[in-house]
Structure formats: C-alpha cells, structure tokens
Amino acid sequence: MKKFIPRFDFPDYNIPRTDFKGHQLKALKKFDSLRPQLNLILELRDVRAPLSTRNVLIDQLIDPRIHQRLVIYTKRDLVADNTHYLLKLSHWQQEIDEDFILIDAKRRQSARHVLDIIKSYKRQLEVRSQGLALPTGYKVLVAGMPNVGKSTLINTLRGAGSKVARTGAEAGVTRSTSETIRIGEPHDNIYLIDTPGIGLPGRLVNERQRMLSLSLCGCVKTNLVDPVVQADYLLYLANLQEPHKHYPGAPTNDVYKLLRRVQPRGAPRDNATAAAVHWLRQSHRGLIYDRELLLDTDSFSLRGYLSRQPQPEPQAKQQSRVTAHDRRLQNVHQLFPKLSGTQ
Ligand SMILES: Nc1nc2c(ncn2[C@@H]2O[C@H](COP(=O)(O)OP(=O)(O)OP(=O)(O)O)[C@@H](O)[C@H]2O)c(=O)[nH]1
C-alpha cells in the first residue's frame, strides 16, 4: 500500500482578514477609560489556537506598573488527551515568562483555582501597597477574543444558580462592557468586569490562515469564511495530526472526497457546503488549530513568532491622527460653513 503523505502547505485562499466591528471599537475605548481603576487583567485564549487567539490590542491595554496579568487558556478539556501538546505549550509559554493556567471554564474546580489565583494576586498587591485599602475593591477585567469562554468562566466563578453573563456557541454574544460582578466572599471585595470579545483589525493580521484558525475556534462569525474552505483547512490540520481520529476511511488530501464521506444522512447528494457545515460542527477533540504548534520545540520559537507580528500604533500616535483628522474637518467646515450647518 502507498504511504499517505499529508500536504505541508495550504493554498492562500482569498478570505477576509478581519471581522472587527463597531461595538468592539467601542469596547476598546471603554477599556481605555477603565484602565486606571483596573488591578488585574485576565486574558482568555482558546488552548487549541493559542497564537491566533492572542490579541495584541489587549497587550496594549496593560501597563505593567499598575496592572497584574494572567493568561488563561480555556477549553483544556478539548485537548486533555494531547499531553505532548500541552507540555510543548507550557514550554513555549515559559520562554516568554508570562503567567498562565489551563482550564475548563465550565468546571467549578477550574473556577475555584482561578479564584484562588486572583486572591493571591490581590494579596501581593496589598503587601506591596503596605496594607492600604483598595477603596473600590479589587477590579479584574476579563478580556479576550470572541467566543473564548469569558462569560462561561464568569458564570462558573459566580457559582451555580446565578447566571449573570450570556454565553453562546457563536462569536459576539457579549456586546457591551457590563457592570461589575462580585465574586468570592463579600469581604474579599473582588469584582469582575465582563467584556465583549475583541477581534483584530485587518492591518494587524499578517496571515490569512489566522482567520481560518479563528473560524475553527468560533471566534469569527461562522459565515465569514466559506465552510468548504474551513473544512479543507480542518482536513489539512487533521492530516498533519491524526487523520484516523477525525474522519472515516483512508486518509485523503481531497476535501470533496472527504465531504462525500461525511455528508449527513438525508442531505441532497454532493452538497459540499451542507456536508462541510455538518463536519465542522462535529467535535474534533485533540486537534490543534495553529499549525506553528505542530513544529517541534527546536524549530519554533514563540519569542521569534511574536517579534514578527504587526503591532498597533502607540496610543499617542493614534490620538494625534484623530486630532489631525479633526483639524482637517475643522478647516473644511471653516471653508464651507454651509456644509457644517453652523453659518
Ligand atoms: N468544552 C469547553 N467549552 C467551553 C469552555 N469555555 C467556553 N466554552 C464554550 O464556548 C462557547 C463560547 O463561550 P462564551 O462564554 O459565550 O464565550 P465569550 O468569550 O463570552 O464569547 P463572546 O461573548 O462572543 O465574546 C460556549 O458554547 C461555551 O459553552 C471550556 O473550557 N470547555
């Protein structure tokens, strides 16, 4: 029998680079105004795509002089058997010296662990500030890309019976920055702030494949990328990992061949889109969606990867851009007063 050789490259399909929306921009502005009162920022990422669900806009929010930060990788249960991968991820994460934990946001035990860590950060701050009370309590912002599990974690932290944050399988369920939510015992004085998921504007996405990883994690709207293209990317990743676990029959690089095999019962024959949607909805436990993470520790450096990522403009520069734009508008209005309605 001929040995199966998976594809090592994936075609550069012409897919959108972003799903960034107006309410996300509004949320970023709100974050900025909350910054001075925040103590800890919990950045949630999907453990299946730790690179793609990282958000440089959140890095920009953090001022290490006043904010503590913890990275939380959610959906650990979906890769729990892949211990080789989890070890590799921990190794890379240590390379950049970032505090992190891995959780299943639906489990009370994970939530208790997160609460213990929040309390220990709070104690550290109290020791540093020599017992000075925190007048408005200890404020924790829960941030991350859409659909990474922010509301789920908050609900689990609150405990059963008091569901306060809406959750859902589709990206963008939380649309505004909510009121603060108290967790722990009343005397703990710890408050969480749930936020809408923040995606990336197109100029900060240097690889279209990142959008594919994000769509497999549900971090962008399901209809943003053609389901057949998403299925092809999933097939490409499955073939580089363990094809026999993720689809029936002999391994194949041909997505249409695969879609014929997995099409739902009763669906019209050869409806590739319906078959792709059906296959994408199935659970693909153990699969990793960032292909860089399939490399071994000698061939991939997280520090190197991060240094190649586009960075947002420093905030001062963004400010001056707005000012220049405003100034131009002012000039237009002075020259054409009728247009501005101020004659
Ligand atoms: N298996 C598993 N599913 C999870 C976990 N965390 C969240 N989910 C599921 O992921 C989906 C998205 O969760 P949400 O809590 O709504 O995500 P979010 O980050 O608040 O989403 P936005 O409001 O879009 O920003 C839901 O279907 C959750 O049930 C986890 O740790 N494990």
Side-chain angles (χ1 to χ4, degrees):
M1 209 170 73
K2 260 181 32 192
K3 190 173 177 296
F4 172 70
I5 301 176
R7 289 173 286 176
F8 284 100
D9 272 323
F10 190 75
D12 193 16
Y13 286 110
N14 189 10
I15 53 173
R17 270 176 197 266
T18 181
D19 187 25
F20 195 69
K21 299 201 185 69
H23 75 270
Q24 299 185 350
L25 188 64
K26 218 169 115 193
L28 270 175
K29 288 190 182 145
K30 179 86 193 266
F31 284 2
D32 204 35
S33 66
L34 289 173
R35 259 157 55 105
Q37 43 167 308
L38 298 175
N39 301 108
L40 172 65
I41 294 170
L42 300 181
E43 184 189 349
L44 271 60
R45 300 179 194 152
D46 187 319
V47 71
R48 297 166 301 168
L51 302 178
S52 297
T53 56
R54 189 182 181 98
N55 193 329
V56 282
L57 293 175
I58 297 173
D59 291 346
Q60 206 192 21
L61 262 181
I62 297 170
D63 179 345
R65 288 167 305 176
I66 52 172
H67 300 131
Q68 295 159 298
R69 172 209 187 125
L70 174 68
V71 172
I72 300 185
Y73 288 111
T74 57
K75 312 197 182 183
R76 182 189 194 283
D77 50 306
L78 301 181
V79 294
D81 298 339
N82 200 338
T83 41
H84 175 66
Y85 166 69
L86 292 174
L87 280 173
K88 212 155 61 167
L89 178 64
S90 304
H91 174 92
W92 276 318
Q93 196 64 40
Q94 278 153 15
E95 188 193 327
I96 57 167
D97 203 18
E98 210 174 51
D99 285 357
F100 74 99
I101 53 167
L102 297 136
I103 65 162
D104 168 358
K106 295 182 181 184
R107 289 190 64 191
R108 287 270 205 106
Q109 203 186 354
S110 285
R112 269 199 294 273
H113 188 193
V114 172
L115 183 59
D116 285 345
I117 297 179
I118 295 176
K119 285 183 188 170
S120 81
Y121 277 115
K122 180 173 174 251
R123 271 195 301 277
Q124 279 174 25
L125 181 65
E126 285 163 347
V127 169
R128 275 214 311 270
S129 56
Q130 292 168 343
L132 275 182
L134 298 161
T136 54
Y138 187 75
K139 295 268 174 67
V140 183
L141 187 84
V142 183
M145 291 259 183
N147 212 47
V148 291
K150 299 177 293 298
S151 305
T152 305
L153 175 63
I154 290 177
N155 285 331
T156 320
L157 276 166
R158 279 286 307 248
S162 52
K163 198 166 181 188
V164 286
R166 287 206 301 145
T167 63
E170 177 69 88
V173 173
T174 308
R175 299 189 74 85
S176 63
T177 305
S178 73
E179 295 304 306
T180 48
I181 300 156
R182 198 180 65 207
I183 55 161
E185 300 299 325
H187 66 262
D188 287 331
N189 235 356
I190 297 173
Y191 297 90
L192 292 186
I193 306 171
D194 188 14
T195 64
I198 304 291
L200 286 173
R203 69 195 145 81
L204 297 178
V205 178
N206 62 353
E207 268 204 325
R208 287 187 211 276
Q209 276 174 25
R210 183 161 184 187
M211 292 308 282
L212 288 168
S213 305
L214 288 173
S215 51
L216 292 180
C217 293
C219 297
V220 293
K221 286 274 178 209
T222 41
N223 57 3
L224 188 78
V225 182
D226 179 347
V228 176
V229 174
Q230 289 183 53
D232 194 22
Y233 194 58
L234 188 61
L235 174 65
Y236 161 78
L237 292 170
N239 285 342
L240 290 172
Q241 298 173 59
E242 292 171 305
H244 61 279
K245 282 197 180 164
H246 301 288
Y247 59 86
T252 174
N253 287 317
D254 180 342
V255 70
Y256 290 98
K257 202 171 185 177
L258 165 93
L259 293 176
R260 280 194 294 277
R261 282 188 213 161
V262 297
Q263 72 184 8
R265 231 181 261 159
R269 263 184 75 76
D270 291 334
N271 182 338
T273 305
V277 169
H278 177 71
W279 189 53
L280 288 164
R281 277 204 198 119
Q282 288 169 14
S283 123
H284 299 279
R285 277 178 182 267
L287 262 192
I288 307 307
Y289 297 148
D290 276 338
R291 60 183 185 156
E292 292 85 350
L293 294 170
L294 304 175
L295 298 168
D296 58 41
T297 36
D298 295 334
S299 320
F300 176 79
S301 142
L302 183 52
R303 206 179 279 280
Y305 169 88
L306 294 178
S307 69
R308 293 190 298 277
Q309 297 308 301
Q311 293 300 315
E313 287 174 16
Q315 292 200 338
K317 209 166 162 193
Q318 282 180 20
Q319 202 72 40
S320 69
R321 238 199 205 176
V322 173
T323 321
H325 174 73
D326 286 347
R327 237 182 278 122
R328 271 201 302 278
L329 263 182
Q330 251 173 17
N331 290 342
V332 171
H333 287 168
Q334 275 162 10
L335 289 170
F336 305 103
K338 274 190 184 164
L339 272 183
S340 62
T342 55
Q343 55 173 326

